[in-house]
Amino acid sequence: MPANTDIVGKTFPPAVYAVGREKIREFAHATGETSPLCLDLEAARAAGHADLVAPPMFAVVYCMPAMAVGLFDPEIGIDFARLVHGGQEFTWGELVVAGDEIATTVTLADVSERAGNGFFVFESRSVNQDGAEVSAGRWTNIVRGA
C-alpha cells in the first residue's frame, strides 16, 4: 500500500473529556485496578486528592475522542479492515482526578511503509483545565498490505 506522507504533521482540534467518578471506578474494575485511590472516595480524599484518581492507562479513555478524529480522517485513509494495533507509549504528568476536564490534541507524527504495510504514528498531548500536562502519548497503527 502506498503511504501518503504529505499529511505528516497534520494536527487535529483538541477534544475535551470530562472525567467522571464512575468512569474511573468502571475502568479500574475492568482493568483489575485495586488501589483504593481509584475506588474509594474517602481513601482518595484522605490521601490528599480532590476526588478519585484515574489509573494511568485511563489515558486511553480521555485520549480516544481526539484519536478517533485522526483515525477516521479520510485524508489519512486508514483501512480499518486491515488495521492492527502496533503499540502505545505514554509519559505522565499531573494526576487525573474525577472532575478534571482533559483536552487532548493529536498530531499525525509519521507515515511510512515497510514490507507493504502502512505505519501511522500519532502523538497526543493532554492537559487538564489548569493547562498542566497530564500525559503525552505515541500511538502506532499498522495497516496490513494486501
Side-chain angles (χ1 to χ4, degrees):
M1 75 161 285
N4 178 7
T5 58
D6 294 342
I7 53 176
V8 171
K10 184 173 184 177
T11 298
F12 301 90
V16 177
Y17 183 91
V19 179
R21 185 181 296 156
E22 292 310 313
K23 283 293 185 187
I24 289 175
R25 283 191 179 116
E26 291 167 0
F27 185 86
H29 287 302
T31 59
E33 176 62 63
T34 59
S35 170
L37 299 179
C38 304
L39 299 167
D40 182 342
L41 181 58
E42 289 182 26
R45 287 187 173 156
H49 303 289
D51 212 302
L52 293 181
V53 177
M57 285 310 294
F58 194 76
V60 173
V61 175
Y62 60 73
C63 287
M64 193 46 65
M67 284 296 301
V69 175
L71 291 171
F72 287 98
D73 185 320
E75 189 177 22
I76 295 173
I78 291 177
D79 179 354
F80 283 88
R82 298 180 180 279
L83 179 68
V84 294
H85 177 71
Q88 295 169 314
E89 301 169 30
F90 290 100
T91 58
W92 285 272
E94 296 286 320
L95 292 176
V96 172
V97 298
D100 280 351
E101 290 196 2
I102 308 299
T104 300
T105 303
V106 169
T107 299
L108 180 62
D110 189 42
V111 176
S112 63
E113 183 178 329
R114 288 179 258 165
N117 300 310
F119 288 73
F120 300 83
V121 180
F122 293 89
E123 292 179 345
S124 63
R125 181 174 183 270
S126 301
V127 298
N128 66 18
Q129 63 280 353
D130 298 322
E133 186 171 285
V134 296
S135 72
R138 188 169 175 87
W139 314 62
T140 301
N141 300 282
I142 303 168
V143 177
R144 295 175 288 123

